Amino acid sequence: MVSILISLLPVLVFIFFIFYLDSYKLVKPKLLGAVWLWGCLSAIGSYFTNTFLMDFSGVGIDVYSRGGAPIVEEFLKGGILFYLFKKNKIGFLIDGAILGFSIGAGFSFVENLYYAITLENVSPMIWIIRGFGTAIMHCGTTTLLTLTIVSFSKESNHFPLKSFFAGLALAVI
Protein backbone atom coordinates (compact mmCIF):
# COMPACT_ATOMS: atom_id res chain seq x y z
CA MET A 1 0.00 0.00 0.00
CA VAL A 2 2.85 2.38 0.80
CA SER A 3 4.35 1.71 -2.64
CA ILE A 4 1.13 2.83 -4.36
CA LEU A 5 1.00 6.00 -2.26
CA ILE A 6 4.63 6.79 -3.06
CA SER A 7 4.05 6.24 -6.78
CA LEU A 8 0.89 8.37 -6.90
CA LEU A 9 1.78 11.21 -4.56
CA PRO A 10 3.39 13.43 -7.23
CA VAL A 11 0.38 13.04 -9.54
CA LEU A 12 -2.18 13.70 -6.82
CA VAL A 13 -0.32 16.79 -5.64
CA PHE A 14 -0.06 18.12 -9.20
CA ILE A 15 -3.79 17.54 -9.89
CA PHE A 16 -4.64 19.37 -6.68
CA PHE A 17 -2.52 22.37 -7.65
CA ILE A 18 -3.83 22.52 -11.22
CA PHE A 19 -7.41 22.27 -9.99
CA TYR A 20 -6.76 24.84 -7.25
CA LEU A 21 -5.10 27.30 -9.64
CA ASP A 22 -8.00 27.13 -12.11
CA SER A 23 -9.53 30.52 -11.40
CA TYR A 24 -12.58 29.88 -13.63
CA LYS A 25 -13.54 26.65 -11.82
CA LEU A 26 -15.31 25.36 -14.93
CA VAL A 27 -14.13 21.79 -14.38
CA LYS A 28 -16.43 20.32 -11.75
CA PRO A 29 -15.17 17.68 -9.31
CA LYS A 30 -17.73 15.17 -10.66
CA LEU A 31 -16.31 15.53 -14.18
CA LEU A 32 -12.78 15.30 -12.80
CA GLY A 33 -13.70 12.00 -11.12
CA ALA A 34 -15.38 10.70 -14.29
CA VAL A 35 -12.34 11.32 -16.48
CA TRP A 36 -10.07 9.84 -13.79
CA LEU A 37 -12.27 6.72 -13.90
CA TRP A 38 -11.97 6.74 -17.72
CA GLY A 39 -8.20 6.70 -17.30
CA CYS A 40 -8.52 3.70 -14.96
CA LEU A 41 -10.71 1.85 -17.47
CA SER A 42 -8.30 2.77 -20.27
CA ALA A 43 -5.48 1.08 -18.38
CA ILE A 44 -7.53 -2.09 -18.00
CA GLY A 45 -8.54 -1.98 -21.67
CA SER A 46 -4.92 -1.37 -22.67
CA TYR A 47 -3.75 -4.37 -20.68
CA PHE A 48 -6.13 -6.74 -22.45
CA THR A 49 -5.68 -5.15 -25.89
CA ASN A 50 -1.89 -5.12 -25.64
CA THR A 51 -1.80 -8.71 -24.36
CA PHE A 52 -3.98 -9.83 -27.27
CA LEU A 53 -1.95 -7.92 -29.86
CA MET A 54 1.37 -9.24 -28.53
CA ASP A 55 0.08 -12.81 -28.59
CA PHE A 56 -1.49 -12.35 -32.03
CA SER A 57 1.56 -10.71 -33.60
CA GLY A 58 4.20 -12.79 -31.84
CA VAL A 59 6.18 -9.63 -31.11
CA GLY A 60 8.11 -9.69 -27.84
CA ILE A 61 7.39 -7.32 -25.00
CA ASP A 62 10.64 -5.38 -25.51
CA VAL A 63 9.71 -4.38 -29.06
CA TYR A 64 5.97 -4.08 -28.47
CA SER A 65 6.32 -1.85 -25.41
CA ARG A 66 8.17 0.73 -27.52
CA GLY A 67 6.03 0.54 -30.65
CA GLY A 68 2.58 -0.93 -30.12
CA ALA A 69 1.69 -0.24 -26.51
CA PRO A 70 1.95 3.57 -26.67
CA ILE A 71 -0.43 3.71 -29.64
CA VAL A 72 -3.04 1.58 -27.89
CA GLU A 73 -2.69 3.38 -24.56
CA GLU A 74 -2.86 6.92 -25.93
CA PHE A 75 -5.75 6.07 -28.24
CA LEU A 76 -7.80 4.55 -25.41
CA LYS A 77 -6.98 7.38 -22.97
CA GLY A 78 -8.01 9.92 -25.60
CA GLY A 79 -11.26 8.19 -26.52
CA ILE A 80 -13.32 10.19 -24.04
CA LEU A 81 -12.19 13.44 -25.63
CA PHE A 82 -14.69 12.96 -28.47
CA TYR A 83 -17.51 13.00 -25.90
CA LEU A 84 -16.07 15.90 -23.89
CA PHE A 85 -15.78 18.08 -26.98
CA LYS A 86 -19.22 17.10 -28.30
CA LYS A 87 -20.77 18.07 -24.95
CA ASN A 88 -18.70 21.28 -24.84
CA LYS A 89 -16.99 20.33 -21.56
CA ILE A 90 -13.60 21.68 -22.65
CA GLY A 91 -13.59 25.37 -23.47
CA PHE A 92 -10.22 26.66 -22.38
CA LEU A 93 -6.68 25.33 -22.45
CA ILE A 94 -6.65 25.03 -18.65
CA ASP A 95 -9.78 22.83 -18.81
CA GLY A 96 -8.00 20.58 -21.29
CA ALA A 97 -4.89 20.47 -19.11
CA ILE A 98 -6.85 19.54 -15.99
CA LEU A 99 -8.95 16.87 -17.71
CA GLY A 100 -6.07 15.41 -19.74
CA PHE A 101 -3.88 15.20 -16.67
CA SER A 102 -6.68 13.52 -14.70
CA ILE A 103 -7.18 10.88 -17.39
CA GLY A 104 -3.46 10.09 -17.25
CA ALA A 105 -3.61 9.98 -13.45
CA GLY A 106 -6.34 7.34 -13.56
CA PHE A 107 -4.31 5.31 -16.02
CA SER A 108 -1.22 5.61 -13.83
CA PHE A 109 -3.17 4.58 -10.75
CA VAL A 110 -4.25 1.28 -12.27
CA GLU A 111 -0.86 0.63 -13.87
CA ASN A 112 0.99 1.24 -10.59
CA LEU A 113 -1.58 -0.85 -8.72
CA TYR A 114 -1.00 -3.70 -11.16
CA TYR A 115 2.77 -3.51 -10.70
CA ALA A 116 2.44 -3.25 -6.92
CA ILE A 117 0.37 -6.46 -6.88
CA THR A 118 2.45 -8.45 -9.36
CA LEU A 119 6.01 -7.42 -8.50
CA GLU A 120 7.70 -8.73 -5.38
CA ASN A 121 10.53 -7.26 -3.31
CA VAL A 122 10.79 -4.00 -5.22
CA SER A 123 12.94 -1.19 -3.91
CA PRO A 124 11.06 1.94 -2.76
CA MET A 125 13.24 3.85 -5.25
CA ILE A 126 11.37 2.09 -8.10
CA TRP A 127 8.09 3.48 -6.76
CA ILE A 128 9.54 6.97 -6.49
CA ILE A 129 10.73 6.70 -10.11
CA ARG A 130 7.30 5.41 -11.19
CA GLY A 131 5.65 8.33 -9.38
CA PHE A 132 7.87 11.07 -10.74
CA GLY A 133 8.58 9.44 -14.09
CA THR A 134 6.02 7.05 -15.50
CA ALA A 135 2.96 8.46 -13.75
CA ILE A 136 3.77 12.04 -14.73
CA MET A 137 4.56 10.82 -18.28
CA HIS A 138 1.07 9.28 -18.65
CA CYS A 139 -0.49 12.49 -17.36
CA GLY A 140 1.67 14.63 -19.63
CA THR A 141 1.02 12.69 -22.81
CA THR A 142 -2.75 12.80 -22.38
CA THR A 143 -2.54 16.49 -21.55
CA LEU A 144 -0.52 17.05 -24.74
CA LEU A 145 -3.16 15.20 -26.77
CA THR A 146 -5.96 17.24 -25.19
CA LEU A 147 -4.21 20.58 -25.63
CA THR A 148 -3.50 19.83 -29.28
CA ILE A 149 -7.20 19.24 -29.88
CA VAL A 150 -8.22 22.35 -27.92
CA SER A 151 -5.81 24.49 -29.94
CA PHE A 152 -7.12 23.23 -33.27
CA SER A 153 -10.79 23.27 -32.25
CA LYS A 154 -10.65 26.99 -31.44
CA GLU A 155 -9.93 27.64 -35.11
CA SER A 156 -12.79 25.58 -36.52
CA ASN A 157 -15.49 25.47 -33.77
CA HIS A 158 -15.83 21.68 -33.98
CA PHE A 159 -13.87 18.61 -33.06
CA PRO A 160 -11.09 18.41 -35.64
CA LEU A 161 -10.36 14.74 -36.22
CA LYS A 162 -7.00 15.51 -37.80
CA SER A 163 -5.91 17.30 -34.62
CA PHE A 164 -6.80 14.18 -32.62
CA PHE A 165 -4.40 12.16 -34.76
CA ALA A 166 -1.76 14.90 -34.66
CA GLY A 167 -2.02 14.98 -30.86
CA LEU A 168 -2.03 11.19 -30.77
CA ALA A 169 1.20 11.12 -32.77
CA LEU A 170 2.81 13.63 -30.39
CA ALA A 171 1.66 11.70 -27.33
CA VAL A 172 2.93 8.38 -28.71
CA ILE A 173 6.32 9.81 -29.61
Side-chain angles (χ1 to χ4, degrees), residues 107-161:
F107 190 99
S108 299
F109 178 80
V110 170
E111 186 177 67
N112 284 343
L113 180 63
Y114 170 78
Y115 286 126
I117 291 169
T118 59
L119 298 177
E120 296 177 11
N121 301 323
V122 177
S123 163
M125 185 55 82
I126 294 296
W127 297 111
I128 292 170
I129 292 168
R130 288 202 61 78
F132 282 99
T134 309
I136 297 292
M137 180 269 306
H138 280 297
C139 296
T141 57
T142 312
T143 300
L144 181 63
L145 170 59
T146 307
L147 294 179
T148 302
I149 297 168
V150 171
S151 297
F152 278 87
S153 68
K154 293 212 178 283
E155 297 172 4
S156 61
N157 256 356
H158 68 283
F159 186 90
L161 194 56

Side-chain angles (χ1 to χ4, degrees), residues 25-56:
K25 300 291 186 239
L26 296 177
V27 177
K28 304 296 180 213
K30 184 177 177 180
L31 179 58
L32 197 65
V35 298
W36 183 84
L37 182 60
W38 178 269
C40 292
L41 295 173
S42 297
I44 295 166
S46 292
Y47 172 79
F48 288 111
T49 303
N50 287 330
T51 301
F52 170 78
L53 291 174
M54 277 192 326
D55 291 345
F56 181 77

Side-chain angles (χ1 to χ4, degrees), residues 46 49-51 53-54 57 59-75 137 168-173:
S46 292
T49 303
N50 287 330
T51 301
L53 291 174
M54 277 192 326
S57 68
V59 174
I61 193 165
D62 290 342
V63 172
Y64 187 80
S65 64
R66 284 184 235 127
I71 296 169
V72 170
E73 292 172 1
E74 299 309 323
F75 186 82
M137 180 269 306
L168 183 66
L170 289 171
V172 168
I173 291 170

Side-chain angles (χ1 to χ4, degrees), residues 89-107:
K89 298 290 184 183
I90 302 175
F92 299 102
L93 285 173
I94 189 66
D95 302 343
I98 292 168
L99 295 171
F101 202 89
S102 298
I103 294 166
F107 190 99

